[in-house]
Amino acid sequence: MLKIGEFSVLSQISIYMLRHYDEIGLLIPEQVDEFTGYRYYSERQLPIAGKIQALKSMGLSLNLIKEILTKYSDNTGLKNYLELQAIEQKEKIEHMRKKLNLLETTIANLDRDSDIPLFSVALKKIPAHYVISVRGIIETPDKEAELWERLAQERKKQKIQFTNPAWNIAVFHDEGFQDRNLDVEIQQAVIGKCRDSDIMKYKKVEEITAATLTFKGRYALLPQANEEIIRWIGDNCYKLNGNHFNIYHISPEMEQLEDEMVTEVCFPVSPI
């Protein structure tokens, strides 16, 4: 039999940790003197101590190690379990790699002169929702109000309940940049069902993962916001995955001062 100090030397586990392992039932001494309380281990327990050290070095918690030693007596079962742990660790590494890349690209761009800071870009899941919509061709971006007026006329014909907070959305269906004859669809998020008309449509919008940038100020900042978010998407290993859209959180309907308006620019994305 080995005293705890002798077992500590052979196993390379501190006396403190051996006592802790005993308390949690991970590595229990083979014998405890009932009068002195001294712990004694046998050489047969050294392989178990070695397994504990090996599994601990893989980053596994003591609770997991205890579960492994209890459940998996054969290599096949242990192999399958560790393969799952390896997948989980790879996912964590990839997640940390993305975080690090985001930090590095943000730091690199902080010296750029911009009215809209790059660090305001966030990756969001926009939940599925129901909308009423009107789609049409507008001559120039400033003519978007015509579509909103058309939707306002149509929705008067029905009793419609809007979400709270309200979502006023403009989806841009053109491929690439276009400053004339834009294909735009405006939407308002609603609760409950609505009837289609020749002009207004009711539909469900599925969940979207999007890179988003919310800014306060005049609509003249929109091209700059688009530029910043496109740069963020490229820097952080994403690709475009759908038509970009704007959510007007504070619009001219609510606020006359341009500098008080709040707009969220959204570009649907997926990993490269």
Side-chain angles (χ1 to χ4, degrees):
M1 300 294 289
L2 300 169
K3 293 181 180 178
I4 190 170
E6 295 167 336
F7 191 79
S8 173
V9 172
L10 292 174
S11 65
Q12 295 291 290
I13 301 173
S14 70
I15 292 174
Y16 169 80
M17 288 307 298
L18 286 172
R19 287 172 177 157
H20 180 58
Y21 292 170
D22 182 17
E23 289 170 1
I24 64 174
L26 179 59
L27 181 57
I28 300 171
E30 197 158 290
Q31 182 180 326
V32 178
D33 190 299
E34 59 180 300
F35 297 107
T36 63
Y38 291 164
R39 296 170 171 87
Y40 293 93
Y41 298 82
S42 75
E43 288 84 347
R44 288 189 298 272
Q45 291 179 289
L46 286 171
I48 299 172
K51 282 185 180 179
I52 292 170
Q53 291 292 78
L55 294 169
K56 191 176 176 184
S57 68
M58 297 174 197
L60 303 181
S61 69
L62 296 181
N63 285 337
L64 278 177
I65 293 170
K66 183 179 177 182
E67 181 182 338
I68 289 169
L69 295 179
T70 303
K71 287 185 177 180
Y72 303 105
S73 56
D74 64 286
N75 286 345
T76 302
L78 179 57
K79 178 175 179 286
N80 293 337
Y81 182 87
L82 292 179
E83 282 176 345
L84 293 174
Q85 289 295 316
I87 291 170
E88 185 178 322
Q89 292 301 322
K90 286 177 182 177
E91 289 174 351
K92 287 180 181 178
I93 290 169
E94 178 61 18
H95 184 62
M96 291 304 297
R97 186 193 65 77
K98 288 182 177 180
K99 279 188 173 182
L100 177 60
N101 188 70
L102 178 57
L103 281 168
E104 290 176 340
T105 55
T106 301
I107 291 167
N109 284 283
L110 278 175
D111 289 333
R112 295 178 60 255
D113 185 19
S114 172
D115 294 325
I116 301 175
L118 186 65
F119 62 81
S120 297
V121 178
L123 195 66
K124 290 185 181 179
K125 282 193 181 295
I126 297 172
H129 53 281
Y130 290 90
V131 300
I132 52 172
S133 74
V134 166
R135 181 172 175 176
I137 304 297
I138 58 174
E139 185 179 356
T140 54
D142 59 307
K143 301 293 185 182
E144 190 182 302
E146 296 174 2
L147 296 177
W148 288 106
E149 289 170 10
R150 205 180 302 171
L151 180 60
Q153 292 298 320
E154 288 297 312
R155 73 190 188 206
K156 285 179 182 177
K157 300 172 185 177
Q158 298 186 49
K159 187 176 181 181
I160 295 174
Q161 184 179 357
F162 297 102
T163 58
N164 185 24
W167 280 18
N168 299 312
I169 304 163
V171 183
F172 303 93
H173 290 279
D174 293 302
E175 290 188 16
F177 173 75
Q178 196 155 325
D179 60 357
R180 298 190 70 81
N181 298 322
L182 293 87
D183 184 357
V184 180
E185 177 185 357
I186 60 166
Q187 303 174 347
Q188 288 184 299
V190 297
I191 299 171
K193 282 199 168 185
C194 304
R195 297 187 309 274
D196 284 354
S197 71
D198 292 337
I199 296 173
M200 185 183 78
K201 303 301 177 186
Y202 168 79
K203 64 180 182 179
K204 181 180 181 180
V205 178
E206 299 296 340
E207 180 184 84
I208 299 168
T209 298
T212 72
L213 189 159
T214 304
F215 71 93
K216 181 180 179 182
R218 59 198 185 281
Y219 290 147
L221 291 172
L222 277 168
Q224 187 176 329
N226 291 343
E227 181 184 337
E228 295 288 359
I229 202 167
I230 287 293
R231 180 180 290 106
W232 185 95
I233 290 169
D235 286 345
N236 291 281
C237 302
Y238 288 94
K239 62 181 178 181
L240 297 176
N241 188 30
N243 298 313
H244 82 279
F245 56 96
N246 297 334
I247 302 175
Y248 303 115
H249 294 290
I250 299 181
S251 64
E253 285 184 340
M254 313 173 205
E255 175 59 59
Q256 292 184 343
L257 295 175
E258 284 190 330
D259 289 338
E260 295 300 317
M261 293 188 294
V262 176
T263 306
E264 185 172 6
V265 180
C266 305
F267 281 75
V269 295
S270 59
I272 293 177

